[in-house]
Amino acid sequence: MPALTGRRIVLGVAGGISAYKAVEICRRLVDAGAFVSTVLTDDAQRFIGALTFSALGSEPARTSLFGADGHGGNGGEGGNEPIPHTRLGRRADLVLVVPATAKLLGKYAAGISDDLLTATLLATRAPVLIAPAMHTEMWEHPAVQENLATLRRRGVHVVDPESGRLAGGDTGEGRLAAPERIIAAATEILTASGDLRGVRVLVTAGGTREPIDAVRVITNRSSGKQGHAIAEAAAQRGADVTLVTTTERSVPAGIEVVRVSTAAEMEEAVVPRASAADVIVMAAAIADFRPLAPADRKIKKDEGLSEIALEPTHDFLVDLGRTKPAGQVLVGFAAETEDLVENAAAKLTRKGLDLIVANDVSQPDAGFEVDTNRAILLDSLGSIEEQPLQTKRELADAILDRVRPKTTDQPDSAEIRKDP
Ligand code: CTP
């Protein structure tokens, strides 16, 4: 997978001659899969236009704390936003400033927030990475060095400038670090901050298709959206993800994908991979019955087909529950139309699961096909938590929040996280 798939980066650009290099960095971050929101200071726009970043970034560049109407920031998803700096900062996984000028460092160290970039820097709780660039004399000035020391002490990451040719033909220290170094530093911070880093997650998705004959199948209404959302969310949180899916949906590079069709193929793909997984999320809607003797040719209409004999498929989730290695977290789904909690709780026990995601699929805004979902999470420790109506991605994150990654101080701790 591109190293930064789905990670949200706020790219702040301050007013220095090397602002043009931020364009290349923006493009490379987007190529690496990141969602890049650019914020330009007024000075930055004297060197480079916002349009360039709007074209290359993931959304229109922002330039102001206040929109044209004075009520909110410009640009970004949905245009005017009431409080863009807090929204930007809150959802960012990283705030990266290229170039960080002497003025920017001074304001940031002093806690001045008089534009969208400095306000975002103060509002965010995400890691911040700055790449200073300025003339050697300015770089060496005690005020700049003290500001930098203050920022480092507060946990700000710094890619130090290099020695080389500066604007105006001078040579010396202060030249912006090479884009490769800045990207490498950003990648390292983002990879290290994923809470599922190193966790091996196996996800199934979609409804199986059981052949009746060479052209007809018995299937169900599962779209695979929820399972795919879980796989993508896990990957973005640093997990090593394998997705076994019945759908043709595109999957971000880096997630191992196995495309299957029938319940038997699903079992063949999942079972050999199961013991190596720390977490298994069985979001697929696997057929409970399949035609007993599918024809290997198309049954002609004139032949008639008044009934289809079915046989049960093998519920291999039960096997996974029985043979679960210590520490593995097994998550199942329960699609129900009645007695949601009772049925899901019974499945949780019967299948030896750690967590079950109970869906009332009779609701029009939850379950099959739609982009939203409403679920109840039941765990083996007896907790029952009702999730609000939310996007499938949000539910994916809520499910993953309950899967504790292995840590060195908890060698056998892949277990369900119990809410306090
Ligand atoms: N499952 C499975 N193999 C099957 C059927 C289901 O591994 N042959 C898994 C699904 O992926 C899901 C869980 O079991 O995670 C529950 O599936 P569901 O169809 O809701 O439950 P069933 O056990 O089939 O019960 P019922 O059809 O009676 O509701």
Side-chain angles (χ1 to χ4, degrees):
M1 172 172 48
L4 303 179
T5 295
R7 307 312 296 275
R8 285 184 172 268
I9 299 175
V10 173
L11 173 63
V13 185
I17 189 70
S18 57
Y20 75 95
K21 293 187 186 167
V23 174
E24 176 66 10
I25 287 168
C26 175
R27 194 186 60 78
R28 290 203 203 180
L29 292 173
V30 170
D31 284 352
F35 187 95
V36 181
S37 310
T38 312
V39 176
L40 287 97
T41 64
D42 288 348
D43 289 349
Q45 293 172 75
R46 291 171 172 265
F47 292 92
I48 188 121
L51 189 60
T52 308
F53 288 99
S54 293
L56 294 172
S58 308
E59 59 178 353
R62 294 176 175 79
T63 55
S64 171
L65 201 45
F66 311 102
D69 59 2
H71 294 305
N74 60 342
E77 289 166 359
N80 283 350
E81 309 166 296
I83 36 173
H85 57 295
T86 50
R87 199 170 93 87
L88 267 179
R90 192 173 299 136
R91 65 184 189 163
D93 296 309
L94 175 72
V95 180
L96 168 64
V97 184
V98 182
T101 57
K103 177 174 166 182
L104 187 281
L105 295 177
K107 287 205 287 186
Y108 187 19
I112 295 170
S113 60
D114 61 352
D115 61 13
L116 182 55
L117 178 53
T118 47
T120 301
L121 284 167
L122 294 196
T124 193
R125 293 293 170 266
V128 175
L129 175 65
I130 57 176
M134 64 201 74
H135 253 77
T136 310
E137 294 81 353
M138 295 172 79
W139 172 246
E140 289 175 348
H141 195 285
V144 171
Q145 288 303 318
E146 279 168 28
N147 286 334
L148 204 59
T150 301
L151 293 172
R152 281 189 209 270
R153 207 174 49 246
R154 292 178 188 155
V156 172
H157 303 267
V158 181
V159 191
D160 281 322
E162 299 171 354
S163 254
R165 208 163 71 83
L166 300 165
D170 298 342
T171 302
E173 204 176 341
R175 193 170 75 155
L176 185 75
E180 299 72 46
R181 279 184 56 214
I182 297 172
I183 305 268
T187 305
E188 200 181 314
I189 293 167
L190 284 166
T191 314
S193 63
D195 67 344
L196 296 179
R197 191 166 57 100
V199 178
R200 293 160 300 179
V201 179
L202 177 59
V203 183
T204 65
T208 59
R209 292 182 295 276
E210 309 300 330
I212 298 168
D213 66 9
V215 297
R216 303 179 180 94
V217 295
I218 294 178
T219 188
N220 59 64
R221 289 175 50 209
S222 169
S223 63
K225 284 180 182 171
Q226 185 64 68
H228 278 243
I230 293 165
E232 286 173 27
Q236 286 164 18
R237 290 166 68 159
D240 298 324
V241 181
T242 300
L243 173 64
V244 181
T245 180
T246 64
T247 80
E248 292 305 317
R249 285 176 186 285
S250 71
V251 176
I255 294 179
E256 186 199 4
V257 196
V258 186
R259 310 258 182 199
V260 297
S261 182
T262 63
E265 288 168 11
M266 178 74 76
E267 179 171 358
E268 227 170 275
V270 171
V271 171
R273 290 176 170 83
S275 62
D278 298 309
V279 178
I280 301 178
V281 184
M282 291 283 292
I286 300 169
D288 289 324
F289 304 99
R290 66 172 158 242
L292 182 58
D296 52 13
R297 58 183 186 89
K298 184 183 176 198
I299 299 167
K300 299 301 288 177
K301 189 166 46 185
D302 294 346
E303 293 174 46
L305 185 64
S306 56
E307 54 187 37
I308 301 169
L310 301 173
E311 63 176 349
T313 57
H314 178 218
D315 188 343
F316 63 91
L317 185 52
V318 173
D319 298 345
L320 297 183
R322 209 177 290 132
T323 58
K324 197 160 73 85
Q328 184 181 73
V329 181
L330 191 55
V331 182
F333 272 64
E336 308 289 347
T337 53
E338 56 204 355
D339 302 328
L340 182 60
V341 172
E342 293 75 10
N343 283 335
K347 271 179 205 174
L348 178 84
T349 311
R350 192 171 75 243
K351 303 197 184 202
L353 307 176
D354 298 293
L355 181 73
I356 194 156
V357 182
N359 271 148
D360 182 349
V361 290
S362 63
Q363 304 285 323
D365 54 4
F368 296 134
E369 291 151 357
V370 292
D371 291 322
T372 49
N373 215 345
R374 188 190 287 114
I376 299 177
L377 305 183
L378 294 84
D379 75 22
S380 56
L381 302 171
S383 122
I384 299 178
E385 191 199 345
E386 200 162 331
Q387 289 286 318
L389 180 68
Q390 57 194 334
T391 64
K392 288 188 170 172
R393 171 57 199 253
E394 286 166 337
L395 179 59
D397 278 315
I399 295 164
L400 293 170
D401 284 346
R402 274 150 196 78
V403 176
R404 185 192 296 244
K406 277 195 167 93
T407 58
T408 42
D409 54 325
Q410 292 161 308
D412 191 25
S413 67
E415 62 187 19
I416 295 304
R417 183 180 289 159
K418 193 92 172 83
D419 285 332

Short mmCIF file of all heavy atoms in Angstrom, two decimals, residues 204 206 208 263 266-267 281-289 312-318 320 331-336 343 347 350-351 353 356-357, ligand 1:
data_model
loop_
_atom_site.label_atom_id
_atom_site.label_comp_id
_atom_site.label_asym_id
_atom_site.label_seq_id
_atom_site.Cartn_x
_atom_site.Cartn_y
_atom_site.Cartn_z
N THR A 204 -13.12 -10.40 6.14
CA THR A 204 -13.90 -10.94 5.01
C THR A 204 -15.01 -9.96 4.69
O THR A 204 -15.51 -9.25 5.56
CB THR A 204 -14.51 -12.31 5.35
OG1 THR A 204 -15.48 -12.15 6.41
CG2 THR A 204 -13.46 -13.32 5.78
N GLY A 206 -18.49 -9.02 1.83
CA GLY A 206 -19.37 -9.32 0.69
C GLY A 206 -20.23 -10.55 0.90
O GLY A 206 -20.05 -11.31 1.87
N THR A 208 -21.60 -14.21 -0.45
CA THR A 208 -21.11 -15.28 -1.34
C THR A 208 -22.16 -15.56 -2.44
O THR A 208 -23.33 -15.23 -2.30
CB THR A 208 -20.81 -16.57 -0.56
OG1 THR A 208 -22.01 -16.99 0.09
CG2 THR A 208 -19.71 -16.33 0.47
N ALA A 263 -19.00 -19.82 -0.68
CA ALA A 263 -18.67 -20.04 0.73
C ALA A 263 -17.47 -20.96 0.85
O ALA A 263 -16.60 -20.75 1.70
CB ALA A 263 -19.88 -20.65 1.45
N MET A 266 -14.41 -19.05 0.12
CA MET A 266 -14.15 -18.15 1.26
C MET A 266 -13.43 -18.93 2.36
O MET A 266 -12.42 -18.48 2.91
CB MET A 266 -15.50 -17.60 1.75
CG MET A 266 -15.46 -16.69 2.94
SD MET A 266 -14.84 -15.03 2.63
CE MET A 266 -16.17 -14.20 1.82
N GLU A 267 -13.94 -20.11 2.65
CA GLU A 267 -13.33 -20.95 3.69
C GLU A 267 -11.89 -21.32 3.31
O GLU A 267 -10.98 -21.23 4.14
CB GLU A 267 -14.16 -22.22 3.87
CG GLU A 267 -13.59 -23.16 4.90
CD GLU A 267 -14.52 -24.32 5.24
OE1 GLU A 267 -15.64 -24.37 4.68
OE2 GLU A 267 -14.12 -25.16 6.07
N VAL A 281 -11.93 -10.33 11.34
CA VAL A 281 -13.25 -9.69 11.32
C VAL A 281 -14.05 -10.33 10.19
O VAL A 281 -13.76 -10.11 9.01
CB VAL A 281 -13.15 -8.17 11.11
CG1 VAL A 281 -14.54 -7.55 11.21
CG2 VAL A 281 -12.21 -7.53 12.13
N MET A 282 -15.04 -11.09 10.56
CA MET A 282 -15.83 -11.82 9.57
C MET A 282 -17.08 -11.02 9.22
O MET A 282 -18.18 -11.27 9.71
CB MET A 282 -16.23 -13.18 10.15
CG MET A 282 -15.05 -14.13 10.31
SD MET A 282 -14.57 -14.86 8.74
CE MET A 282 -15.98 -15.89 8.44
N ALA A 283 -16.88 -10.03 8.34
CA ALA A 283 -18.01 -9.19 7.95
C ALA A 283 -18.77 -9.78 6.77
O ALA A 283 -19.85 -9.30 6.43
CB ALA A 283 -17.49 -7.79 7.58
N ALA A 284 -18.22 -10.81 6.14
CA ALA A 284 -18.88 -11.38 4.96
C ALA A 284 -20.21 -12.02 5.33
O ALA A 284 -20.37 -12.57 6.42
CB ALA A 284 -17.97 -12.43 4.31
N ALA A 285 -21.16 -11.93 4.41
CA ALA A 285 -22.43 -12.63 4.57
C ALA A 285 -22.30 -13.93 3.78
O ALA A 285 -22.41 -13.94 2.54
CB ALA A 285 -23.56 -11.78 4.03
N ILE A 286 -21.99 -14.96 4.52
CA ILE A 286 -21.68 -16.24 3.88
C ILE A 286 -22.96 -17.07 3.80
O ILE A 286 -23.70 -17.17 4.78
CB ILE A 286 -20.60 -16.98 4.69
CG1 ILE A 286 -19.33 -16.11 4.74
CG2 ILE A 286 -20.30 -18.35 4.09
CD1 ILE A 286 -18.29 -16.58 5.71
N ALA A 287 -23.19 -17.66 2.64
CA ALA A 287 -24.42 -18.43 2.44
C ALA A 287 -24.50 -19.55 3.47
O ALA A 287 -23.50 -20.18 3.81
CB ALA A 287 -24.42 -19.02 1.04
N ASP A 288 -25.71 -19.76 3.96
CA ASP A 288 -25.92 -20.89 4.89
C ASP A 288 -26.29 -22.17 4.12
O ASP A 288 -26.15 -23.26 4.64
CB ASP A 288 -27.04 -20.55 5.87
CG ASP A 288 -26.60 -19.48 6.87
OD1 ASP A 288 -25.42 -19.50 7.26
OD2 ASP A 288 -27.42 -18.61 7.22
N PHE A 289 -26.79 -21.97 2.90
CA PHE A 289 -27.19 -23.12 2.07
C PHE A 289 -26.66 -22.92 0.66
O PHE A 289 -26.56 -21.80 0.18
CB PHE A 289 -28.72 -23.24 1.99
CG PHE A 289 -29.37 -23.31 3.33
CD1 PHE A 289 -29.93 -22.18 3.91
CD2 PHE A 289 -29.43 -24.52 4.03
CE1 PHE A 289 -30.54 -22.25 5.16
CE2 PHE A 289 -30.03 -24.60 5.27
CZ PHE A 289 -30.58 -23.45 5.85
N PRO A 312 -26.58 -27.59 3.51
CA PRO A 312 -25.97 -26.53 4.32
C PRO A 312 -24.50 -26.35 3.97
O PRO A 312 -23.82 -27.31 3.60
CB PRO A 312 -26.12 -27.04 5.76
CG PRO A 312 -26.54 -28.46 5.68
CD PRO A 312 -26.97 -28.78 4.28
N THR A 313 -24.05 -25.13 4.06
CA THR A 313 -22.60 -24.87 3.91
C THR A 313 -21.96 -25.11 5.28
O THR A 313 -22.66 -25.24 6.29
CB THR A 313 -22.34 -23.42 3.49
OG1 THR A 313 -22.93 -22.57 4.47
CG2 THR A 313 -22.89 -23.12 2.12
N HIS A 314 -20.66 -25.14 5.28
CA HIS A 314 -19.95 -25.36 6.53
C HIS A 314 -19.72 -24.01 7.21
O HIS A 314 -19.20 -23.10 6.59
CB HIS A 314 -18.61 -26.05 6.22
CG HIS A 314 -17.79 -26.27 7.43
ND1 HIS A 314 -16.42 -26.12 7.43
CD2 HIS A 314 -18.12 -26.61 8.70
CE1 HIS A 314 -15.97 -26.38 8.65
NE2 HIS A 314 -16.98 -26.68 9.43
N ASP A 315 -20.15 -23.88 8.44
CA ASP A 315 -19.94 -22.62 9.17
C ASP A 315 -18.54 -22.65 9.78
O ASP A 315 -18.34 -23.09 10.91
CB ASP A 315 -21.02 -22.46 10.26
CG ASP A 315 -20.95 -21.09 10.92
OD1 ASP A 315 -19.91 -20.41 10.79
OD2 ASP A 315 -21.94 -20.69 11.57
N PHE A 316 -17.58 -22.17 8.99
CA PHE A 316 -16.20 -22.30 9.47
C PHE A 316 -15.84 -21.29 10.56
O PHE A 316 -14.80 -21.41 11.21
CB PHE A 316 -15.20 -22.24 8.31
CG PHE A 316 -15.19 -20.95 7.56
CD1 PHE A 316 -14.34 -19.93 7.93
CD2 PHE A 316 -16.03 -20.75 6.48
CE1 PHE A 316 -14.31 -18.74 7.23
CE2 PHE A 316 -16.02 -19.57 5.78
CZ PHE A 316 -15.16 -18.56 6.15
N LEU A 317 -16.72 -20.31 10.79
CA LEU A 317 -16.46 -19.38 11.89
C LEU A 317 -16.49 -20.13 13.22
O LEU A 317 -15.73 -19.82 14.14
CB LEU A 317 -17.49 -18.23 11.87
CG LEU A 317 -17.28 -17.11 12.89
CD1 LEU A 317 -15.87 -16.54 12.83
CD2 LEU A 317 -18.30 -16.00 12.68
N VAL A 318 -17.35 -21.14 13.29
CA VAL A 318 -17.41 -21.98 14.49
C VAL A 318 -16.05 -22.65 14.70
O VAL A 318 -15.52 -22.69 15.81
CB VAL A 318 -18.54 -23.03 14.38
CG1 VAL A 318 -18.49 -24.01 15.54
CG2 VAL A 318 -19.89 -22.35 14.30
N LEU A 320 -13.16 -21.57 13.57
CA LEU A 320 -12.17 -20.54 13.94
C LEU A 320 -12.26 -20.23 15.43
O LEU A 320 -11.26 -20.04 16.10
CB LEU A 320 -12.36 -19.26 13.12
CG LEU A 320 -12.17 -19.35 11.60
CD1 LEU A 320 -12.32 -17.97 10.97
CD2 LEU A 320 -10.81 -19.92 11.26
N VAL A 331 -13.92 -11.52 15.53
CA VAL A 331 -15.10 -10.65 15.47
C VAL A 331 -16.05 -11.19 14.41
O VAL A 331 -15.65 -11.43 13.27
CB VAL A 331 -14.70 -9.20 15.09
CG1 VAL A 331 -15.92 -8.29 15.07
CG2 VAL A 331 -13.62 -8.67 16.02
N GLY A 332 -17.29 -11.41 14.79
CA GLY A 332 -18.30 -11.87 13.83
C GLY A 332 -19.36 -10.81 13.62
O GLY A 332 -19.41 -9.81 14.35
N PHE A 333 -20.17 -11.02 12.62
CA PHE A 333 -21.30 -10.14 12.36
C PHE A 333 -22.58 -10.95 12.51
O PHE A 333 -22.59 -12.16 12.26
CB PHE A 333 -21.21 -9.57 10.93
CG PHE A 333 -20.42 -8.30 10.86
CD1 PHE A 333 -19.07 -8.30 11.16
CD2 PHE A 333 -21.02 -7.10 10.48
CE1 PHE A 333 -18.32 -7.12 11.11
CE2 PHE A 333 -20.30 -5.92 10.41
CZ PHE A 333 -18.95 -5.93 10.73
N ALA A 334 -23.63 -10.28 12.89
CA ALA A 334 -24.92 -10.95 12.93
C ALA A 334 -25.92 -10.06 12.21
O ALA A 334 -26.17 -8.94 12.63
CB ALA A 334 -25.36 -11.17 14.37
N ALA A 335 -26.42 -10.56 11.10
CA ALA A 335 -27.45 -9.83 10.37
C ALA A 335 -28.79 -10.39 10.82
O ALA A 335 -29.04 -11.58 10.65
CB ALA A 335 -27.27 -10.03 8.88
N GLU A 336 -29.58 -9.53 11.44
CA GLU A 336 -30.84 -10.03 12.02
C GLU A 336 -32.00 -9.13 11.59
O GLU A 336 -31.81 -7.95 11.30
CB GLU A 336 -30.76 -10.02 13.56
CG GLU A 336 -29.55 -10.72 14.16
CD GLU A 336 -29.59 -12.23 14.02
OE1 GLU A 336 -30.66 -12.79 13.68
OE2 GLU A 336 -28.55 -12.87 14.23
N ASN A 343 -30.39 -12.76 19.56
CA ASN A 343 -29.81 -13.62 18.53
C ASN A 343 -28.31 -13.42 18.41
O ASN A 343 -27.55 -14.37 18.27
CB ASN A 343 -30.46 -13.33 17.17
CG ASN A 343 -31.84 -13.96 17.06
OD1 ASN A 343 -32.13 -14.95 17.74
ND2 ASN A 343 -32.68 -13.41 16.21
N LYS A 347 -25.22 -16.07 19.09
CA LYS A 347 -24.18 -16.36 18.07
C LYS A 347 -22.78 -16.14 18.65
O LYS A 347 -21.86 -16.88 18.35
CB LYS A 347 -24.35 -15.43 16.86
CG LYS A 347 -25.28 -15.99 15.80
CD LYS A 347 -25.45 -15.06 14.62
CE LYS A 347 -26.78 -15.39 13.98
NZ LYS A 347 -27.16 -14.48 12.92
N ARG A 350 -22.14 -19.21 20.70
CA ARG A 350 -22.10 -20.44 19.90
C ARG A 350 -20.84 -20.50 19.05
O ARG A 350 -20.26 -21.57 18.86
CB ARG A 350 -23.35 -20.50 19.01
CG ARG A 350 -23.56 -21.85 18.35
CD ARG A 350 -24.90 -21.95 17.66
NE ARG A 350 -24.99 -21.22 16.41
CZ ARG A 350 -25.82 -20.21 16.19
NH1 ARG A 350 -26.63 -19.79 17.13
NH2 ARG A 350 -25.83 -19.60 15.02
N LYS A 351 -20.41 -19.34 18.55
CA LYS A 351 -19.27 -19.32 17.62
C LYS A 351 -17.94 -19.01 18.32
O LYS A 351 -16.91 -18.87 17.65
CB LYS A 351 -19.54 -18.34 16.48
CG LYS A 351 -20.85 -18.68 15.73
CD LYS A 351 -20.96 -18.03 14.38
CE LYS A 351 -22.33 -18.35 13.76
NZ LYS A 351 -22.35 -18.23 12.32
N LEU A 353 -16.90 -16.24 19.79
CA LEU A 353 -16.38 -14.94 19.34
C LEU A 353 -16.00 -14.07 20.53
O LEU A 353 -16.49 -14.26 21.65
CB LEU A 353 -17.44 -14.22 18.51
CG LEU A 353 -18.02 -15.00 17.33
CD1 LEU A 353 -19.14 -14.19 16.66
CD2 LEU A 353 -16.93 -15.32 16.32
N ILE A 356 -19.22 -9.33 18.66
CA ILE A 356 -20.13 -9.51 17.52
C ILE A 356 -20.79 -8.17 17.21
O ILE A 356 -21.11 -7.39 18.10
CB ILE A 356 -21.17 -10.64 17.77
CG1 ILE A 356 -21.86 -11.03 16.46
CG2 ILE A 356 -22.19 -10.27 18.84
CD1 ILE A 356 -22.43 -12.44 16.43
N VAL A 357 -20.90 -7.90 15.92
CA VAL A 357 -21.49 -6.65 15.44
C VAL A 357 -22.89 -7.00 14.97
O VAL A 357 -23.07 -7.68 13.96
CB VAL A 357 -20.66 -6.07 14.28
CG1 VAL A 357 -21.23 -4.74 13.81
CG2 VAL A 357 -19.20 -5.93 14.68
N1 CTP B 1 -20.58 -17.31 8.95
C1 CTP B 1 -19.61 -18.22 8.54
N2 CTP B 1 -19.93 -19.30 7.77
C2 CTP B 1 -21.21 -19.54 7.42
C3 CTP B 1 -22.21 -18.66 7.84
C4 CTP B 1 -21.86 -17.55 8.61
O1 CTP B 1 -18.43 -18.04 8.86
N3 CTP B 1 -21.50 -20.60 6.67
C5 CTP B 1 -20.20 -16.15 9.76
C6 CTP B 1 -20.50 -14.81 9.12
O2 CTP B 1 -19.38 -14.30 8.41
C7 CTP B 1 -20.83 -13.92 10.31
C8 CTP B 1 -21.37 -14.89 11.34
O3 CTP B 1 -20.99 -16.20 10.91
O4 CTP B 1 -19.69 -13.31 10.85
C9 CTP B 1 -22.86 -14.84 11.53
O5 CTP B 1 -23.51 -15.05 10.32
P1 CTP B 1 -25.10 -15.09 10.26
O6 CTP B 1 -25.51 -15.47 8.88
O7 CTP B 1 -25.66 -13.82 10.85
O8 CTP B 1 -25.40 -16.23 11.30
P2 CTP B 1 -25.78 -17.75 11.14
O9 CTP B 1 -24.90 -18.53 12.04
O10 CTP B 1 -25.77 -18.13 9.72
O11 CTP B 1 -27.22 -17.80 11.77
P3 CTP B 1 -28.67 -17.49 11.14
O12 CTP B 1 -28.56 -17.63 9.67
O13 CTP B 1 -29.55 -18.50 11.78
O14 CTP B 1 -29.01 -16.09 11.57
#
